[in-house]
Amino acid sequence: MAFAAPAPIPSRTQYVLDAIKHGILTGQLVPGQALVETELAARFGVSKTPVREALKTLAGTGLVVMSQYKGVTVREVDAAMAHQVYDVRLLLEPEALRRTIARQASLDVAADALVRADEAEDNAERSLANREFHRALYVPCGNPLLSRMLDEVRDQAALVSAVVWGAIPSWEREATEHREILRLARAGDADGAARALHDHIASFVHRAFPAQEDAV
């Protein structure tokens, strides 16, 4: 029995979806902020239908919360949420990188992302470049399902980063760690790169939420 491919998202809905997601992941729309359909429709020059569909999709990715009483809001970030998201990354991302290295896949995209992060003029650009760096490490792993699983938590991880960077601007330390991960990966040291990546992910969430270090 053949399964039908999912229907493509209409262009107006995709436009609104991308714009809202960008606002959330760059900190322009902050956790807890209400997302009112009529206001967003007027802002983007569309009807409420594409806004409603975009918000439903964002709720499915965990970036917004839909409540019968509060309406739609940007998802709040707390220690429990952050540790759940980063626990998934700790379990999957180092193994994906190990497989990427074993396949001798190109890491040029990751290197380019590091350059963009270094040259970023603000946290928004830096955050987007860092997301691309991490994704470029796991996408070539050879297992599309593993890549999709990591993609599913990618936006939530970026939301955590945006919130944490607002309080703890630690991107210089993380940039140094990124360069070391890439160096080990390009040298073919799969175990070393995987350990460095694991430590990088773990140290970030532990610095941000030190009281919850033993929760994962």
Side-chain angles (χ1 to χ4, degrees):
M1 177 179 177
F3 291 93
I9 298 176
S11 58
R12 288 189 178 184
T13 300
Q14 188 66 56
Y15 164 70
V16 174
L17 173 64
D18 291 342
I20 297 174
K21 179 188 286 190
H22 185 273
I24 293 172
L25 298 183
T26 57
Q28 298 168 15
L29 298 171
V30 299
Q33 181 172 340
L35 300 174
V36 182
E37 287 183 12
T38 52
E39 294 177 359
L40 292 170
R43 175 177 175 179
F44 297 123
V46 298
S47 69
K48 290 196 296 183
T49 298
V51 173
R52 186 177 303 117
E53 293 304 313
L55 292 175
K56 287 180 181 178
T57 300
L58 290 169
T61 66
L63 285 183
V64 308
V65 176
M66 307 184 88
S67 168
Q68 180 179 354
Y69 303 103
K70 294 183 179 180
V72 182
T73 57
V74 179
R75 183 171 184 177
E76 302 260 14
V77 173
D78 58 21
M81 176 269 196
H83 276 286
Q84 288 169 12
V85 170
Y86 275 68
D87 193 27
V88 172
R89 293 186 66 195
L90 286 169
L91 290 169
L92 300 181
E93 205 165 323
E95 176 59 25
L97 174 58
R98 187 179 282 109
R99 296 184 180 200
T100 292
I101 297 169
R103 298 179 71 237
Q104 299 183 333
S106 172
L107 294 168
D108 289 347
V109 175
D112 290 343
L114 282 190
V115 173
R116 292 201 308 277
D118 288 341
E119 296 176 348
E121 297 182 356
D122 55 37
N123 282 355
E125 289 183 27
R126 188 175 294 111
S127 176
L128 294 173
N130 282 347
R131 291 175 73 230
E132 289 307 313
F133 170 75
H134 278 275
R135 191 169 192 271
L137 296 180
Y138 67 74
V139 164
C141 72
N143 185 329
L145 179 57
L146 178 56
S147 297
R148 286 197 298 271
M149 291 173 70
L150 283 165
D151 274 346
E152 287 182 5
V153 299
R154 181 171 173 245
D155 288 344
Q156 295 179 55
L159 176 58
V160 174
S161 295
V163 171
V164 171
W165 278 3
I168 308 172
S170 58
W171 53 81
E172 291 184 357
R173 170 175 175 167
E174 285 135 35
T176 299
E177 293 171 355
H178 284 169
R179 286 190 285 271
E180 177 63 8
I181 292 165
L182 184 60
R183 183 190 71 79
L184 291 167
R186 282 188 149 171
D189 186 352
D191 290 338
R195 282 195 302 271
L197 179 58
H198 182 282
D199 292 346
H200 166 71
I201 295 169
S203 65
F204 179 83
V205 72
H206 289 168
R207 286 198 306 273
F209 302 99
Q212 297 289 326
E213 286 191 24
D214 297 327
V216 297

